Amino acid sequence: MKSTLKYTFSLCLVLCSFLVAAQETTTVQDSSAVKKDSVKPKTERYGLRLGVDLFKLTRSFYDKNYKGLELVGDFKFTRKHYLAAEIGNENKTVADDQLDFTTKGTYLKVGFDYNSYENWLGMNNMIYVGMRYGVSSFNQTLNSYSIYYANNYFPKPTIEAGTKYDGLSAQWIEVVAGVKAEMFPNFYVGFSLRMHNLITNKVPDNFDNLYIPGFNRTYGGNFGAGFNYTISYFVPLYKTVLKNKEKGKK
């Protein structure tokens, strides 16, 4: 009887030891699984960035011959490529020695940007090049003009015209190069240079489109240049998990 009890007690001890060991093994495995699951995958943010051209906005306050506003935006659809657009309006009076005219109109530019800058994860800074297709609809008013005389002994008479030309339009292609940097979380400051080339230019009779909203001066023919200085805000819309090749990049 004593032998039987001793054997039974020993067997119970062995079973208890086995159960404890099995439970500890399961706990370690569960802990390892939790640790693996707790490592978050690396993601890339995609979204819409909206802003305003500060140069046109501030110029409207100190230049009495100019009123303008330009809204800018871009949408990141790959790690390097962005859809981009600008929409705005301008009211510009040019008063030269022989000519005084006012141009009013709106414009739209659409295109793309390619970002050559390698960002760290979660950042959307840009050193970019791109292209835009621009279209403008506007009118011009010839306020006054002076007739040119080779002889300067007599004063040049100024003729008050007040002639208005409606239904004018222009289209062009422009090449863009610029930068955008995050100054505060999701807030970006940018600067870009633009070279324009006119494709179409509907001009009035007996006059010319010397200034086109969105294009700038046309005194040099079909070519023009411009720039903008922007502040914008990035609105995250979704994230994507980076693949193994992409994780190795900054």
Side-chain angles (χ1 to χ4, degrees):
M1 186 67 179
K2 290 182 179 180
S3 300
T4 303
L5 291 174
K6 184 182 294 186
Y7 174 78
T8 303
F9 182 74
S10 299
L11 182 61
C12 289
L13 288 176
V14 171
L15 289 175
C16 288
S17 300
F18 177 78
L19 290 175
V20 170
Q23 186 175 5
E24 289 179 351
T25 302
T26 303
T27 302
V28 170
Q29 291 177 350
D30 290 342
S31 299
S32 299
V34 169
K35 289 183 179 179
K36 290 182 180 180
D37 292 339
S38 63
V39 178
K40 295 182 180 180
K42 295 181 178 180
T43 59
E44 181 80 4
R45 297 190 306 165
Y46 290 79
L48 183 66
R49 183 162 33 201
L50 300 172
V52 63
D53 183 354
L54 290 179
F55 174 72
K56 288 184 173 64
L57 183 64
T58 56
R59 185 182 178 185
S60 300
F61 292 100
Y62 66 81
D63 187 347
K64 65 179 182 179
N65 291 325
Y66 181 86
K67 297 293 180 184
L69 177 67
E70 179 178 283
L71 303 178
V72 301
D74 62 55
F75 175 75
K76 180 179 179 180
F77 65 96
T78 73
R79 295 201 73 195
K80 293 291 187 180
H81 297 87
Y82 294 73
L83 296 175
E86 295 95 26
I87 184 171
N89 67 81
E90 289 187 294
N91 182 339
K92 169 70 174 175
T93 297
V94 177
D96 291 338
D97 293 338
Q98 292 186 271
L99 191 63
D100 187 311
F101 68 92
T102 300
T103 302
K104 298 179 183 180
T106 60
Y107 61 90
L108 173 67
K109 304 177 189 180
V110 293
F112 67 92
D113 291 327
Y114 173 79
N115 185 17
S116 62
Y117 182 73
E118 288 290 343
N119 280 295
W120 293 98
L121 289 176
M123 299 177 65
N124 286 299
N125 295 325
M126 297 179 68
I127 300 176
Y128 65 93
V129 294
M131 293 190 69
R132 302 285 189 276
Y133 173 78
V135 58
S136 180
S137 177
F138 57 98
N139 64 68
Q140 297 210 64
T141 301
L142 177 58
N143 302 317
S144 64
Y145 63 94
S146 300
I147 299 176
Y148 175 75
Y149 292 99
N151 190 336
N152 293 324
Y153 289 106
F154 300 98
K156 298 176 183 178
T158 299
I159 302 173
E160 300 291 336
T163 306
K164 187 176 182 179
Y165 304 96
D166 292 313
L168 306 178
S169 62
Q171 301 176 49
W172 65 91
I173 294 291
E174 63 183 56
V175 178
V176 184
V179 297
K180 290 181 181 178
E182 188 174 18
M183 306 303 293
F184 305 101
N186 293 333
F187 280 94
Y188 291 79
V189 172
F191 176 81
S192 70
L193 296 173
R194 288 130 188 279
M195 298 298 295
H196 313 142
N197 184 32
L198 277 174
I199 300 175
T200 65
N201 185 17
K202 183 180 178 181
V203 300
D205 296 332
N206 302 320
F207 197 55
D208 200 357
N209 293 330
L210 302 178
Y211 189 94
I212 298 174
F215 184 90
N216 214 335
R217 288 175 177 259
T218 61
Y219 292 177
N222 290 337
F223 293 95
F227 69 93
N228 69 359
Y229 181 68
T230 62
I231 183 171
S232 54
Y233 182 79
F234 180 74
V235 182
L237 298 179
Y238 62 93
K239 296 180 180 179
T240 60
V241 178
L242 296 181
K243 298 179 181 178
N244 291 331
K245 293 182 179 180
E246 295 176 321
K247 289 180 181 179
K249 299 180 180 180
K250 289 182 179 181

